[in-house]
Amino acid sequence: MPFDAASKTALEGITTATLTTILLKKGLRNVWIRGGMPIRAGQARRVGPAYTLRFVPAREDLATPASWASPISTRAAIEGMDEGVIAVVDGLGVTDAGIFGDILCARMAYRKVEALVTDGVVRDLKGVLGTGLPVWCNGAAAPPSVAGLTFVGWQEPISCGGVAVFPNDIIVADDDGAVVIPAALLDEVVAESVEQEAMEAWIMEEIGRGTPLPGLYPMNPETKARYAATKASKP
Amino acid sequence: MPFDAASKTALEGITTATLTTILLKKGLRNVWIRGGMPIRAGQARRVGPAYTLRFVPAREDLATPASWASPISTRAAIEGMDEGVIAVVDGLGVTDAGIFGDILCARMAYRKVEALVTDGVVRDLKGVLGTGLPVWCNGAAAPPSVAGLTFVGWQEPISCGGVAVFPNDIIVADDDGAVVIPAALLDEVVAESVEQEAMEAWIMEEIGRGTPLPGLYPMNPETKARYAATKASKP
Amino acid sequence: MPFDAASKTALEGITTATLTTILLKKGLRNVWIRGGMPIRAGQARRVGPAYTLRFVPAREDLATPASWASPISTRAAIEGMDEGVIAVVDGLGVTDAGIFGDILCARMAYRKVEALVTDGVVRDLKGVLGTGLPVWCNGAAAPPSVAGLTFVGWQEPISCGGVAVFPNDIIVADDDGAVVIPAALLDEVVAESVEQEAMEAWIMEEIGRGTPLPGLYPMNPETKARYAATKASKP
Amino acid sequence: MPFDAASKTALEGITTATLTTILLKKGLRNVWIRGGMPIRAGQARRVGPAYTLRFVPAREDLATPASWASPISTRAAIEGMDEGVIAVVDGLGVTDAGIFGDILCARMAYRKVEALVTDGVVRDLKGVLGTGLPVWCNGAAAPPSVAGLTFVGWQEPISCGGVAVFPNDIIVADDDGAVVIPAALLDEVVAESVEQEAMEAWIMEEIGRGTPLPGLYPMNPETKARYAATKASKP
Amino acid sequence: MPFDAASKTALEGITTATLTTILLKKGLRNVWIRGGMPIRAGQARRVGPAYTLRFVPAREDLATPASWASPISTRAAIEGMDEGVIAVVDGLGVTDAGIFGDILCARMAYRKVEALVTDGVVRDLKGVLGTGLPVWCNGAAAPPSVAGLTFVGWQEPISCGGVAVFPNDIIVADDDGAVVIPAALLDEVVAESVEQEAMEAWIMEEIGRGTPLPGLYPMNPETKARYAATKASKP
Amino acid sequence: MPFDAASKTALEGITTATLTTILLKKGLRNVWIRGGMPIRAGQARRVGPAYTLRFVPAREDLATPASWASPISTRAAIEGMDEGVIAVVDGLGVTDAGIFGDILCARMAYRKVEALVTDGVVRDLKGVLGTGLPVWCNGAAAPPSVAGLTFVGWQEPISCGGVAVFPNDIIVADDDGAVVIPAALLDEVVAESVEQEAMEAWIMEEIGRGTPLPGLYPMNPETKARYAATKASKP
């Protein structure tokens, strides 16, 4: 896995709001996974490379409890997950059939999967919460996946919440949902985001002092100079 | 009411996730009421026979505050509810007019109605929570029902959240929403669900021991034998 | 600002559920802002005159970080807000780009804006909650406004959540969302709402005593007489 | 059937656009059936009393080809239709299962049903067109009704396209779709519509002469006087 | 290609309405591709094995005019299509970017592709019609695919219009849209559909003679006997 | 009006499909007005500067037939339209109330308005077609605008079909719908589109000769050379 510990640590300190600002400045406007929100309030930020799973709609001859034992099954896909990956599941935005319940989430937690992100929903909400697996999803529903979905593969390019996700893209998920950083852009995004985050923290201090917005955010040359001086004065 | 206490007690221990799995194995894929989710987190599971109510859209000559005193009114319908029923209301999925507020919910609580389930919303959320009535709904909205709905009858077959509900079908509602068990299938569903629930509990223990998914869930013959031995060894 | 303190105080004691009932009796069925719900549970009721802001969709030549420094910008609009106004933002119902984040909300809180109401979403949810600004919105999303929206003006008539809002209409927001009272109807709505609220409180007491609904809600002549007697007997 | 020939003849000469204007002036804003559009361009206007049919969603134990032989079936409902009625079918807005195909439409045409109006779709489009039955619907789909719908009754109040329809309300359908006239308002709506239609025809002549809109539409007192003079001068 | 000429000829005489009835009797309720309707009225029925293509959402770093020259491109996919296949394209239901325009459709027509079916839209409608390629789609839009979509592969399982389609499933498309016959069920579906079509033709004749629906459709034993006699009497 | 005749003539020969390709190459992906499609098949391409109109939702105290005589009315807006403009109307995507009927469209035709483009619908479809005004819209509906909309102004920036339109942006509408060219980009877009259109015509000829797609579209260096030679050889 080419995802290094330093990038991970840096990204754990950056909001997805900042990341989307940086990505937009690079021309990427569509990187936020619609429908994938934290399953519980205050869930800590999670960062990791994408491990993708893909469903197509249910067809009664394919989507059966028997299919769960097929070699192409969610079970097989889960057994291939390494520690630290973020499972990203194309659930087709289906909200009336849960992609996974307590058993599969427990196994993912056991394998130290960093998080589960999907535009679909989970089932057996209480059980899933009990496993401790961090989940970003679109809610909960009682019916099993086969009531609406057929599993077809993993580690392929997928659609998730209206966003393209490729295996090994970097996923960052927090209170504002989950964002995709294309693997090729990782280093420059990390570098610029760290600087942006520091700058916005200083602006928030200024707001607390009553500084009006015009000239402050975005900064005009005078404010930029003042900010530069502040940075320079720090040890 | 032909709904016996033993079935009720059994179903109070079964998740709606398990019930939908059992119903799907019998060919029923559409039994989960879309949009009817718990009004507060952690609301205990509720079980009871369906008592149905039906709205059509508002028409300004019909849907008026005056209509609330009509013999065909939500008031009359509520006075016909026996202790233990679950009121299931076809709110047409309308989310900008509340079907009931604090007064009607308080009366239902007074009559020991088991729960209210709807694909619509309630109004005066704070007041409704204050009545203690367990509610599964699609949120809250300030406007009265007559801003969007006209009440037309009760104890008829209805649509609720994309599911057909007939009077006296059995409703089970928990953290994953509300599920309909057709009255004619009650006994076999209860029997099979109890067994399924026990089996899944054992599988969760295995997951905790680090058993991989393939062969475990669903069980292959070897695992089945192991599970059978475990069951046999219990007192 | 022609909005007097007495009306404000009165409205702080009236639910939006009651207000929509009174407005419907006057023929106004479309006054509740769809999608504008409390950002945190139990947020206290807020009342104030509307200060409107308007977005159109993003166009890549217009919606840029550079646009934030334009004279027609959200920054300029915020600097024009007086203490006590409720900012009402036409976010076009867009849920995948946040209209404001922590910095703009902090400035609004500093200026003692009464509340922010929108059919869109905010970004940097944790930061926004930290500012203490009361917000009614449709959730949170990481991307900046320019990923989906272009700001075009303020203090114009707007659409918000399917409702027409004009500058200086009165907004009341509570657990059931946000309601618009047309400025011209303010005095009569306040007067009738106070009476309605008192009457419904008495009806709730009757429900607690086990009085059935027919004849009680709505009141028949006998109940009206009984209620009148109760009112008369109060000091 | 209390629907008289004179009203029918009069309404055959009135556009649904004019009818909705007259109904709105009486406070009725929600009388146009969403999704019920002409199945072929240029279909002549149709007028008749509503004969309602009602579906709920499919449930696999109920919605089966076998159900078509049940006493409560679309077949039985059709055999109860008198010449001249307009069948109005609550298809729940479902667009992926056809409520009727060529056989049922042929039988309705044989029974001289005036028209079929639904917010759902038909199936076997070519066959349905071949029967000559005038249809207003939301398109076509191959699957049978039981793929999505369960039939539950007829001549009840229904929802159709977001509008309340009661048996014997009057339906008028033309190029702009289908409109409901509440039975109790029929006579006054007919009278006012005839006058409105004549007035708008005269305004269109004025437009052809180049008269500007202000003062013409709506008419100011001077234009009203001119129009009155024109009317008076006609034989 | 294992799809034989006899099945093709037989299916060219069967409506998709009949096919969905037969498939539903086998338990398959979800085989009709939502949104894939004939691009022009009266387009002849088309039959062939599915050749699948798959898009994911656009991401500005991937979905560029430059990507059209990539080895994984719609161009390469089209060059792999044999005569007689039906191209089935997962367009994610996107209706604001056209999957193909006149040039790609002209090449498909040149290669004798039987038809194009998609839940997306085409662009340059006039040009596409000019190529003569039979198309089932969800309308037209001017923007290029890269405005909303990224192409990722072909001959994989896909979702199209809410239906699972696998390479070499059989597609039949007519006035009612496009239907998927799972490859494994082909022979029995063809056999039963031919019989069903003949039976319904006889029922239509009966309707023309004024036979009422009950007992005719579905047939009771007496009608079945009468139908059997008719069939036997034919040469 | 700064829109010159040469640009108009050039754009009348360019498809909206080509225009969106050119605009995307400049980074503009969101320029096609969703929902604004030709009211009749084969309507000739129309080109002109945008004249914008804006609605907000109906509120019963504002959206009345009486409002049609207000100084801020659609009538006044229409009287300000010069010959050749394209009226672009923000109808909020409302499809159950017509923005204009036959009378207003007749007046616009009389004033030689080039076209009407909206994301809403018209009413009195037959009458509107009779006026000959070229219209791009989202269908037809019987109810008057005031059933769903309140008119608030003209010649302001608007949202139309999810696209930002400013007064005097250039609109081009044809079989694929309507596209916005930002006024500042007009000259370069016209120049590049003319070249693109010629190149694609040559590619279509190549397709007719059986040239495969790879290397042809997009062109590789060899094809580019061949195309250059062809162009050079033309008189």
Side-chain angles (χ1 to χ4, degrees), chain D residues 15-209:
Chain D
T15 65
T16 55
T18 293
L19 290 171
T20 53
T21 300
I22 298 300
L23 286 162
L24 184 135
K25 287 179 178 173
K26 296 181 179 307
L28 278 81
R29 289 167 179 257
N30 187 26
V31 295
W32 179 76
I33 293 174
R34 292 160 193 82
M37 295 302 283
I39 200 171
R40 85 197 88 197
Q43 205 166 246
R45 185 171 297 121
R46 293 283 165 159
V47 179
Y51 182 101
T52 65
L53 292 90
R54 186 161 78 89
F55 284 94
V56 296
R59 216 170 64 188
E60 291 86 346
D61 57 327
L62 301 169
T64 62
S67 71
W68 291 334
S70 150
I72 296 178
S73 72
T74 51
R75 282 68 176 162
I78 289 171
E79 296 299 326
M81 293 177 188
D82 289 319
E83 179 177 343
V85 301
I86 294 190
V88 185
V89 184
D90 175 1
L92 300 173
V94 165
T95 56
D96 56 7
I99 57 161
F100 296 151
D102 59 343
I103 294 174
L104 300 197
C105 288
R107 181 63 181 163
M108 292 169 73
Y110 189 91
R111 292 186 69 85
K112 301 194 175 148
V113 164
E114 177 85 0
L116 166 63
V117 173
T118 184
D119 58 358
V121 301
V122 295
R123 61 193 301 247
D124 191 2
L125 176 61
K126 194 174 176 179
V128 168
L129 292 172
T131 68
L133 182 74
V135 178
W136 277 256
C137 66
N138 203 0
S145 61
V146 289
L149 298 163
T150 303
F151 184 70
V152 290
W154 63 97
Q155 291 294 63
E156 299 174 281
I158 61 168
S159 167
C160 188
V163 173
V165 182
F166 284 68
N168 297 320
D169 283 340
I170 301 306
I171 306 294
V172 182
D174 64 14
D175 292 337
D176 281 5
V179 165
V180 180
I181 307 173
L185 301 178
L186 179 63
D187 290 346
E188 52 183 303
V189 166
V190 169
E192 294 171 37
S193 297
V194 169
E195 169 52 23
Q196 178 84 8
E197 198 82 5
M199 191 184 74
E200 295 207 358
W202 181 82
I203 289 172
M204 275 297 275
E205 288 170 27
E206 288 293 302
I207 294 282
R209 284 177 208 115

Side-chain angles (χ1 to χ4, degrees), chain A residues 59-82:
Chain A
R59 217 170 63 188
E60 290 86 347
D61 58 326
L62 301 168
T64 62
S67 71
W68 291 334
S70 150
I72 297 178
S73 72
T74 50
R75 280 69 175 162
I78 289 171
E79 296 299 327
M81 293 178 188
D82 289 320

Side-chain angles (χ1 to χ4, degrees), chain E residues 97-223:
Chain E
I99 57 162
F100 296 151
D102 60 343
I103 293 173
L104 299 197
C105 287
R107 180 63 181 162
M108 291 170 73
Y110 189 91
R111 292 185 69 84
K112 301 196 176 144
V113 164
E114 176 84 0
L116 166 63
V117 173
T118 184
D119 58 358
V121 300
V122 295
R123 61 194 299 249
D124 191 1
L125 176 61
K126 194 174 175 179
V128 168
L129 291 172
T131 69
L133 181 74
V135 178
W136 277 256
C137 66
N138 203 0
S145 62
V146 288
L149 298 163
T150 302
F151 184 71
V152 290
W154 63 98
Q155 290 294 62
E156 299 174 282
I158 61 167
S159 166
C160 188
V163 173
V165 182
F166 284 67
N168 297 321
D169 283 339
I170 301 306
I171 306 294
V172 182
D174 64 13
D175 293 336
D176 282 6
V179 165
V180 180
I181 307 173
L185 300 178
L186 179 63
D187 290 346
E188 51 182 305
V189 166
V190 169
E192 295 171 36
S193 296
V194 169
E195 169 52 24
Q196 177 84 9
E197 199 82 5
M199 191 184 75
E200 295 208 357
W202 181 82
I203 290 173
M204 276 297 275
E205 289 169 25
E206 288 293 301
I207 295 281
R209 286 180 206 112
T211 314
L213 292 166
L216 175 67
Y217 181 57
M219 296 185 184
N220 61 15
E222 188 193 338
T223 310

Side-chain angles (χ1 to χ4, degrees), chain D residues 17 20-21 29 34 176 213 217, chain F residues 63 75 96 123-125 146:
Chain D
T20 53
T21 300
R29 289 167 179 257
R34 292 160 193 82
D176 281 5
L213 291 166
Y217 180 57
Chain F
R75 281 69 177 160
D96 56 7
R123 62 192 300 247
D124 191 1
L125 176 62
V146 287

Side-chain angles (χ1 to χ4, degrees), chain A:
Chain A
M1 193 73 44
F3 180 55
D4 60 293
S7 293
K8 178 167 173 147
T9 303
L11 288 171
E12 283 169 350
I14 312 271
T15 65
T16 56
T18 293
L19 289 170
T20 53
T21 299
I22 298 300
L23 286 161
L24 185 136
K25 286 180 179 173
K26 297 182 179 305
L28 279 81
R29 290 168 180 258
N30 187 27
V31 295
W32 179 77
I33 293 176
R34 292 161 193 82
M37 296 303 282
I39 201 172
R40 84 198 87 196
Q43 205 166 244
R45 185 170 298 122
R46 292 283 164 161
V47 178
Y51 182 101
T52 65
L53 293 91
R54 186 161 77 89
F55 284 94
V56 296
R59 217 170 63 188
E60 290 86 347
D61 58 326
L62 301 168
T64 62
S67 71
W68 291 334
S70 150
I72 297 178
S73 72
T74 50
R75 280 69 175 162
I78 289 171
E79 296 299 327
M81 293 178 188
D82 289 320
E83 179 178 342
V85 302
I86 293 191
V88 185
V89 184
D90 176 1
L92 301 172
V94 165
T95 56
D96 55 7
I99 57 161
F100 296 151
D102 59 344
I103 294 174
L104 300 197
C105 288
R107 181 64 180 162
M108 292 170 72
Y110 189 92
R111 292 185 69 84
K112 301 195 176 147
V113 164
E114 176 84 0
L116 165 64
V117 173
T118 183
D119 58 358
V121 300
V122 295
R123 61 192 301 249
D124 191 2
L125 176 61
K126 194 174 175 180
V128 169
L129 292 172
T131 69
L133 182 74
V135 178
W136 278 256
C137 65
N138 203 359
S145 62
V146 288
L149 299 164
T150 302
F151 184 71
V152 290
W154 62 98
Q155 289 295 61
E156 300 174 280
I158 60 167
S159 166
C160 188
V163 173
V165 182
F166 285 67
N168 296 322
D169 284 339
I170 301 304
I171 306 294
V172 182
D174 64 13
D175 293 337
D176 282 6
V179 164
V180 180
I181 306 173
L185 302 177
L186 179 62
D187 290 347
E188 51 183 304
V189 167
V190 169
E192 296 171 36
S193 296
V194 169
E195 168 53 24
Q196 178 82 11
E197 198 82 4
M199 190 184 76
E200 296 207 358
W202 181 82
I203 290 173
M204 276 297 275
E205 289 169 25
E206 288 293 302
I207 294 283
R209 286 179 205 112
T211 313
L213 292 166
L216 175 67
Y217 181 56
M219 296 184 182
N220 60 15
E222 188 194 339
T223 310
K224 276 182 187 161
R226 205 148 55 81
Y227 174 58
T230 308
K231 279 212 297 186
S233 71
K234 288 206 180 149

